[in-house]
């Protein structure tokens, strides 16, 4: 990295633009006390593994006290560690271990809603005049029906009637996840206080859960029918959203050198600068859903093409200027495994396609996010029956779609095997011992993938050609190649159905990235009389330096300095 300069290719240099983030889903990462559930001490025991891999920042999915209706995204006490995950001293030890290894940690900020077991909600439902009465969104019945036609992401109405208070309350997710009323300044004050509590411990920022949903139109007009399949675009368009994000920045974030990333379900590319333009002082970056939703419509899988994927990256590069930073990710705890979604999970091509995807993830423009297990080339789970699933989103949809005979079970399972969030929540595969070394318990909270004897960290650490070692090599390369961070991006052949070929250019440093997204052996003549130049990295042994044409093996990646 070119030390000292404060700009690069017109961008203002920032530490959070130059890092690679690794997401940990604590429940599935490492169990340390034999109860079959991952925990904080388990993560601490694996910090050397993460340091060796070469990631810079760890994003910890919610570690707070929760009844786990939605696996921690339903928080009961923001200042208490979830009992299954350990204690506050365990959290402090984890953060200390991370800092000692010169890594950083961001935590999950889930403040669009709480658990219905949070004391605020317990008190709020007791009366219409107490100090917590307006912490949530309560509305009277509307002629025997919910206040409006809004739907929950976890099936059914977004409103539930509370018999104690005799009114409906809003929950864009599960019934046990009531939405907070951000129009109440006391609620905003509570949120800013809990953010400062964790910042005071030394964390390095936040990933903000469905943050665009926090503002609602208090008149609650119906969701227009053309948005029925995608209500998120209505929920993310509240009237005071940016006012609250700017207030949060002023009251809290401006005082710290931290990183913020908003989970921007329902935010379009055109709206993105409103969130991340550095001159607006709101968020540093956001997660878009265009890529991870390319192969699905709701819970149904759908085919996709490589030109469609390339068009998304091209559009983002074209529309976002030097004041706007972005993220690059192919998975997380809500999405299936990238090799299964965008690569080839077969025995023949699993590893090769994982390396192609790793090359793309780590050479595109934007802060890359790696999800736990993707560095091993883990793949989707072979779910065979509804009982195999844990996810409330899946179980609620089963009740709403299958038990009502709207969809037959086989069709539902066909799609959920490809789109379920549980695909990425199966335990981390550490070695070939029982339960993949994730737990000593007889039964982990969610079944280990049957592939663990072939796909595990121990085997891959020892194999120089493993997916893990390819990720490690790519991470080392990215760390010393500022062109992959700030360099100009140009797609050389956007319509090519099998090949993703692009350049990244920063001053004199110009790199050519060539990715064969197919099982076809490809012969390809470079456009514009380009030559391949000096080989920097090849995932499958290909050379062809200073060549005008390439002969690519199935699922091969190459990087040249040209
Ligand atoms: O897209 C979705 C709805 O169909 C889900 O994948 C997901 O709920 C959505 O992306 C929002 O995700 C975040 O908020 C949810 C939680 O279940 C997810 O785990 C979290 O990432 C509610 O907190
Ligand atoms: Ca445990």
């Amino acid at each position: 990295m070119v030390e000292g300069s404060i700009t690069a290719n017109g961008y203002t240099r920032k530490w959070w633009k130059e890092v690679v983030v690794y997401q940990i889903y604590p429940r599935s990462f490492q169990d340390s006390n034999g109860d079959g559930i991952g925990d904080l001490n388990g993560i601490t025991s694996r910090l050397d593994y993460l340091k060796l891999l070469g990631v810079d920042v760890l994003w910890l999915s919610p570690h707070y006290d929760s009844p786990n209706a939605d696996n921690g995204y339903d928080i009961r006490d923001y200042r208490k560690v979830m009992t299954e995950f350990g204690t506050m001293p365990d959290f402090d030890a984890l953060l200390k271990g991370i800092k000692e290894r010169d890594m950083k940690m961001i935590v999950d900020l889930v403040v669009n809603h709480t658990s219905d077991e949070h004391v605020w909600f317990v008190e709020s439902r007791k009366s219409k005049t107490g100090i917590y009465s307006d912490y949530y969104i309560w509305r009277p019945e509307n002629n025997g029906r919910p206040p409006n036609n809004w739907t929950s992401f976890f099936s059914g109405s977004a409103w539930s009637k509370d018999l104690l208070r005799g009114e409906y309350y809003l929950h864009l997710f599960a019934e046990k996840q009531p939405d907070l009323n951000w129009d109440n300044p006391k609620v905003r004050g509570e949120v800013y206080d809990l953010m400062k509590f964790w910042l005071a411990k030394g964390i390095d920022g936040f990933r903000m859960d469905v943050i665009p949903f926090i503002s609602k139109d208090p008149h609650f007009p119906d969701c227009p029918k053309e948005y029925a399949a995608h209500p998120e675009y209505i929920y993310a368009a509240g009237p005071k959203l940016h006012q609250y994000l700017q207030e949060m920045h002023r009251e809290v974030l401006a005082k710290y050198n931290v990183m913020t990333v908003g989970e921007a379900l329902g935010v379009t590319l055109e709206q993105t600068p409103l969130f991340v333009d550095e001159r607006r002082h709101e968020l540093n970056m956001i997660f878009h859903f265009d890529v991870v939703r390319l192969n699905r419509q709701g819970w149904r899988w759908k085919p996709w093409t490589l030109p469609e994927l390339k068009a998304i990256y091209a559009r983002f590069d074209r529309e976002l200027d030097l004041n706007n930073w972005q993220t690059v990710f192919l998975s997380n705890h809500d999405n299936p495994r990238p090799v299964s979604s965008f690569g080839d999970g077969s025995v023949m091509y699993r590893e090769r396609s994982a390396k192609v995807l790793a090359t793309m993830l780590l050479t595109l423009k934007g802060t890359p996010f790696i999800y736990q297990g993707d560095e091993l080339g883990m793949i989707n789970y072979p779910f065979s029956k509804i009982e195999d699933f844990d996810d409330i989103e899946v179980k609620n949809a089963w009740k709403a779609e299958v038990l009502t005979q709207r969809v037959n079970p086989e069709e539902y399972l066909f799609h959920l095997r490809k789109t379920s969030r549980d695909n990425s929540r199966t335990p981390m595969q550490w070695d070939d011992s029982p339960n993949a070394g994730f737990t000593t318990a007889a039964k982990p909270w969610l079944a280990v993938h049957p592939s663990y004897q072939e796909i595990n960290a121990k085997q891959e650490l020892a194999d120089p050609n493993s997916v893990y070692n390819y990720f490690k090599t790519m991470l080392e390369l990215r760390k010393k190649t500022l062109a992959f961070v700030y360099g100009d991006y140009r797609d050389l052949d956007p319509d090519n159905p099998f090949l993703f070929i692009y350049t990244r250019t920063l001053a004199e440093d110009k790199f050519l990235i060539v990715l064969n997204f197919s099982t076809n052996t490809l012969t390809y003549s470079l456009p514009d009389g380009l030559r391949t130049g000096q080989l920097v990295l090849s995932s499958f042994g290909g050379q062809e330096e200073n060549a005008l044409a390439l002969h690519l093996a199935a699922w091969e990646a190459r990087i040249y300095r040209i």
Side-chain angles (χ1 to χ4, degrees):
M1 254 184 254
V2 178
E3 291 311 329
S5 58
I6 56 169
T7 64
N9 204 17
Y11 286 99
T12 306
R13 290 187 65 178
K14 297 280 184 188
W15 67 265
W16 40 264
K17 296 180 182 176
E18 302 178 13
V19 296
V20 176
V21 184
Y22 183 98
Q23 180 191 358
I24 292 176
Y25 193 67
R27 199 170 190 84
S28 306
F29 193 68
Q30 174 70 68
D31 173 20
S32 71
N33 64 346
D35 65 356
I37 300 171
D39 46 55
L40 300 185
N41 287 337
I43 301 170
T44 302
S45 74
R46 294 292 183 181
L47 289 179
D48 288 334
Y49 165 85
L50 294 167
K51 182 63 182 176
L52 184 67
L53 175 60
V55 295
D56 308 293
V57 179
L58 304 184
W59 154 25
L60 189 63
S61 267
H63 63 284
Y64 317 96
D65 175 46
S66 164
N68 286 301
D70 186 18
N71 290 354
Y73 282 90
D74 49 318
I75 294 171
R76 180 169 48 200
D77 183 340
Y78 286 96
R79 291 176 175 76
K80 185 175 178 297
V81 172
M82 187 191 300
T83 309
E84 296 94 318
F85 289 171
T87 62
M88 190 59 90
D90 296 335
F91 177 88
D92 295 338
L94 170 60
L95 185 54
K96 182 170 177 287
I98 289 169
K99 298 284 183 177
E100 280 167 354
R101 292 166 176 81
D102 194 26
M103 294 192 284
K104 295 177 184 290
M105 174 158 76
I106 66 173
V107 295
D108 222 310
L109 184 69
V110 187
V111 290
N112 171 68
H113 48 272
T114 71
S115 165
D116 66 345
E117 297 180 26
H118 194 293
V119 64
W120 298 340
F121 191 76
V122 172
E123 292 304 313
S124 189
R125 59 193 291 257
K126 280 179 184 169
S127 95
K128 299 177 187 170
T129 55
I131 58 169
Y132 295 106
S133 301
D134 282 346
Y135 269 47
Y136 296 86
I137 296 167
W138 296 97
R139 290 295 185 279
E141 195 165 84
N142 169 19
N143 299 324
R145 300 181 49 70
N148 72 5
N149 69 350
W150 284 18
T151 55
S152 158
F153 289 103
F154 294 164
S155 303
S157 168
W159 299 93
S160 289
K161 183 158 188 181
D162 181 79
L163 301 181
L164 183 62
R165 178 153 165 167
E167 290 187 306
Y168 281 84
Y169 67 90
L170 179 71
H171 54 86
L172 297 182
F173 292 92
E175 282 194 6
K176 284 184 69 64
Q177 293 173 290
D179 279 52
L180 281 167
N181 172 17
W182 272 72
D183 289 342
N184 181 342
K186 285 189 289 185
V187 166
R188 302 203 301 275
E190 298 271 15
V191 169
Y192 303 155
D193 286 349
L194 71 91
M195 290 174 74
K196 290 174 195 166
F197 173 85
W198 292 101
L199 285 163
K201 295 178 102 40
I203 59 160
D204 300 287
F206 298 98
R207 174 267 189 187
M208 299 188 188
D209 192 61
V210 291
I211 198 72
F213 294 169
I214 57 176
S215 171
K216 279 88 171 174
D217 177 342
H219 305 297
F220 283 99
D222 269 352
C223 173
K225 61 181 177 306
E226 59 269 26
Y227 283 97
H230 286 288
E232 61 269 22
Y233 293 107
I234 299 298
Y235 302 162
K240 297 186 176 175
L241 170 58
H242 295 287
Q243 176 185 324
Y244 294 157
L245 288 178
Q246 286 169 18
E247 181 185 74
M248 178 192 279
H249 190 274
R250 217 173 30 250
E251 295 294 322
V252 184
L253 298 168
K255 303 177 170 81
Y256 302 84
N257 179 18
V258 292
M259 162 183 171
T260 54
V261 52
E263 185 201 23
L265 184 61
V267 172
T268 64
L269 174 54
E270 291 64 34
Q271 295 165 331
T272 298
L274 292 174
F275 293 83
V276 303
D277 186 312
E278 292 172 345
R279 298 163 294 187
R280 287 175 54 89
H281 306 300
E282 292 191 20
L283 303 175
N284 296 145
M285 54 193 120
I286 58 179
F287 292 139
H288 287 94
F289 284 65
D290 305 56
V291 170
V292 290
R293 288 291 186 268
L294 184 58
N295 67 339
R296 62 190 300 184
Q297 176 61 41
W299 52 262
R300 283 189 168 77
W301 173 81
K302 71 175 174 64
W304 61 283
T305 68
L306 182 60
E308 285 173 343
L309 178 66
K310 295 190 282 188
I312 295 171
Y313 291 125
R315 201 165 64 241
F316 276 65
D317 190 64
R318 193 173 50 246
E319 299 294 326
L320 295 178
D321 69 16
L322 295 168
N323 300 297
N324 294 277
W325 197 246
Q326 53 193 306
T327 56
V328 183
F329 68 102
L330 299 171
S331 67
N332 52 36
H333 64 292
D334 291 335
N335 286 284
R337 291 288 179 183
V339 168
S340 303
S341 293
F342 303 107
D344 182 325
S346 69
V347 173
M348 179 80 172
Y349 296 116
R350 178 185 62 80
E351 292 179 284
R352 291 163 65 167
S353 66
K355 293 174 183 177
V356 167
L357 295 173
T359 311
M360 180 178 82
L361 179 72
L362 295 168
T363 57
L364 284 176
K365 187 186 293 180
T367 299
F369 285 69
I370 298 171
Y371 177 69
Q372 70 180 43
D374 287 350
E375 79 276 15
L376 302 178
M378 284 175 69
I379 51 178
N380 286 354
Y381 185 88
F383 297 105
S384 62
K385 56 193 182 308
I386 190 63
E387 292 75 18
D388 291 347
F389 293 93
D390 164 83
D391 184 1
I392 187 167
E393 185 171 10
V394 171
K395 290 177 175 175
N396 283 6
W398 174 269
K399 288 185 205 132
E401 307 282 348
V402 177
L403 298 191
T404 56
Q405 266 96 41
R406 282 219 286 255
V407 173
N408 75 50
E410 291 66 39
E411 180 189 357
Y412 187 73
L413 288 170
F414 168 81
H415 287 284
L416 266 293
R417 269 191 287 275
K418 292 168 176 282
T419 64
S420 158
R421 305 194 299 180
D422 281 335
N423 277 306
S424 57
R425 299 178 180 185
T426 64
M428 186 69 178
Q429 295 166 197
W430 294 106
D431 57 42
D432 59 3
S433 71
N435 289 314
F438 164 71
T439 181
T440 54
K443 194 170 181 319
W445 74 279
L446 188 66
V448 172
H449 195 290
S451 65
Y452 75 92
Q453 278 157 334
E454 298 80 46
I455 305 173
N456 65 69
K458 182 182 174 192
Q459 179 275 332
E460 297 198 30
L461 277 157
D463 171 5
N465 294 318
S466 65
V467 175
Y468 170 90
N469 276 310
Y470 189 83
F471 262 92
K472 185 168 177 291
T473 304
M474 271 306 307
L475 285 160
E476 284 158 8
L477 179 60
R478 181 181 171 92
K479 201 167 286 300
K480 62 186 183 191
T481 311
L482 213 55
F484 291 160
V485 180
Y486 297 110
D488 291 339
Y489 167 83
R490 191 160 82 85
D491 183 336
L492 300 186
D493 192 348
D495 299 331
N496 193 300
F498 307 118
L499 196 62
F500 193 0
I501 177 166
Y502 53 94
T503 56
R504 298 296 313 275
T505 308
L506 178 60
E508 306 313 310
D509 291 336
K510 184 162 186 173
F511 294 87
L512 174 69
I513 294 94
V514 189
L515 308 173
N516 182 359
F517 265 76
S518 77
T519 55
N520 309 323
T521 303
L522 294 181
T523 299
Y524 183 75
S525 299
L526 292 173
D528 315 333
L530 266 180
R531 284 181 176 274
T532 54
Q534 174 205 356
L535 185 74
V536 173
L537 185 66
S538 164
S539 69
F540 199 65
Q543 302 284 327
E544 298 184 308
E545 297 187 302
N546 296 313
L548 286 166
L550 287 169
H551 302 81
L552 294 164
W555 285 108
E556 179 178 9
R558 289 189 205 163
I559 301 176
Y560 292 95
R561 180 187 283 274
I562 58 176

